[in-house]
Amino acid sequence: MSAGDIIRENDDVLIVFDEKRRFIVKARKEGVLGTDKGVVRLSDLIGKPYGSIIKTSRGIEVLILKPLPFDYSLLVQRVTQVIYPKDAGLMIYLSGIKPGSKIGEAGVGSGALTVMLASIIGDSGVLYGFDISEKSLENTKTRLERIGLINRVRLLKHDIREPVSLGETLDSFFLDIPDPWNAVNTVAGLIKTSGTLLVYVPTINQVEKTVLKLRESGCFTDIHSYEVLLREYKVDRDAVRPFTRMVGHTGYIIFARRVKSVI
Ligand SMILES: C[S@@+](CC[C@H](N)C(=O)[O-])C[C@H]1O[C@@H](n2cnc3c(N)ncnc32)[C@H](O)[C@@H]1O
């Protein structure tokens, strides 16, 4: 077992009571997490290996885990519609981003995608996050500080449809605003040639407008549009089937590569 497997003071811990009741807390010498299933003393977490089971004051067993990047969505206060992990997963894979990548995102909204992107680019990467809403920027800043990722992110109040200079070009740009077609020229100027653009839109009408604008700009090629449908399964002995409820629709993903000029 390595040192990182043992919970130390100030480490984040995911406490799982059941499917619905999950909390991220910091292990501390003082303080408690109070729930209807009893109290967990935060000092009880210190020195325990991640993956252990501890008991609340009411004797109920809870699991203590190391939070994964997507677990931090528990801390995201939704001030806007957010990008779901199923969509973020494909967007991140297609983008090709990795530790050290320099990337952009507009709008940051509630910061759900920002948290996932910032966790991937590492301490050597940088994310320029644009939004026109002061509230969204403030909210995202608070989340990133809480999770310890703020050093990788520069939050900027700016309308991404208007030109902007960053002093460097980006490996990838993530766009989630109502009218992305109006931002195509600006983001084309920010992405390095052979870099990637990922656009997220909730309606198919927005897909059409955006793709036509990307083609017309002459700055993008390899343009593809996708939708991700995710079905989870309920697994019991001799009774394996999809859950009866599923998320029917979230949004569409558009991928494109920046080129000098389309051949
Ligand atoms: C749907 S939310 C983004 C949600 C975000 N992707 C998430 O996962 O939390 C859209 C955001 O875009 C911002 N926005 C809208 N138009 C914009 C523009 N032209 N430039 C920058 N931000 C813009 C809005 O203020 C809003 O916060």
Side-chain angles (χ1 to χ4, degrees), residues 80-83 105-113 130-133 136 158-161 176-178:
T80 62
Q81 192 57 255
V82 302
I83 293 186
E105 184 198 2
V108 296
S110 304
L113 183 64
F130 301 91
D131 208 295
I132 47 173
S133 153
S136 286
H158 179 77
D159 183 335
I160 200 62
R161 296 169 299 186
D176 177 10
I177 63 167

Side-chain angles (χ1 to χ4, degrees), residues 69-263:
F70 76 81
D71 290 318
Y72 283 103
S73 61
L74 289 172
L75 297 179
V76 172
Q77 195 194 339
R78 295 182 179 200
V79 293
T80 62
Q81 192 57 255
V82 302
I83 293 186
Y84 277 55
K86 74 174 177 72
D87 297 313
L90 181 64
M91 291 171 79
I92 289 166
Y93 177 64
L94 293 171
S95 72
I97 66 166
K98 55 183 189 295
S101 291
K102 297 186 187 324
I103 65 176
E105 184 198 2
V108 296
S110 304
L113 183 64
T114 319
V115 166
M116 292 185 244
L117 297 175
S119 71
I120 289 167
I121 59 174
D123 281 328
S124 55
V126 59
L127 186 164
Y128 295 93
F130 301 91
D131 208 295
I132 47 173
S133 153
E134 197 70 61
K135 191 175 169 203
S136 286
L137 292 168
E138 269 306 310
N139 180 58
T140 300
K141 181 167 173 269
T142 307
R143 298 299 137 202
L144 290 166
E145 281 170 349
R146 163 66 184 81
I147 301 165
L149 294 173
I150 192 68
N151 60 323
R152 306 171 183 184
V153 181
R154 298 185 198 158
L155 293 169
L156 305 161
K157 189 167 188 291
H158 179 77
D159 183 335
I160 200 62
R161 296 169 299 186
E162 302 299 327
V164 59
S165 169
L166 298 173
E168 63 178 336
T169 48
L170 306 176
D171 299 299
S172 190
F173 202 98
F174 295 78
L175 196 53
D176 177 10
I177 63 167
D179 55 343
W181 51 91
N182 287 326
V184 165
N185 291 339
T186 307
V187 297
L190 295 176
I191 306 170
K192 59 175 72 159
T193 52
S194 206
T196 53
L197 171 66
L198 278 303
V199 185
Y200 178 85
V201 283
T203 73
I204 204 73
N205 319 66
Q206 292 165 299
V207 172
E208 182 183 18
K209 277 188 167 176
T210 308
V211 169
L212 293 182
K213 179 68 192 193
L214 287 169
R215 283 194 199 133
E216 183 194 304
S217 75
C219 297
F220 291 94
T221 188
D222 210 5
I223 304 167
H224 297 276
S225 304
Y226 304 99
E227 181 179 10
V228 178
L229 302 176
L230 183 74
R231 210 144 77 130
E232 191 180 349
Y233 283 76
K234 190 171 185 308
V235 180
D236 289 315
R237 189 180 298 279
D238 298 328
V240 180
R241 60 168 176 80
F243 277 97
T244 42
R245 286 164 192 249
M246 71 181 277
V247 176
H249 175 68
T250 53
Y252 303 97
I253 294 161
I254 304 164
F255 166 85
R257 283 181 213 254
R258 173 79 166 93
V259 282
K260 262 204 162 76
S261 60
V262 176
I263 306 138

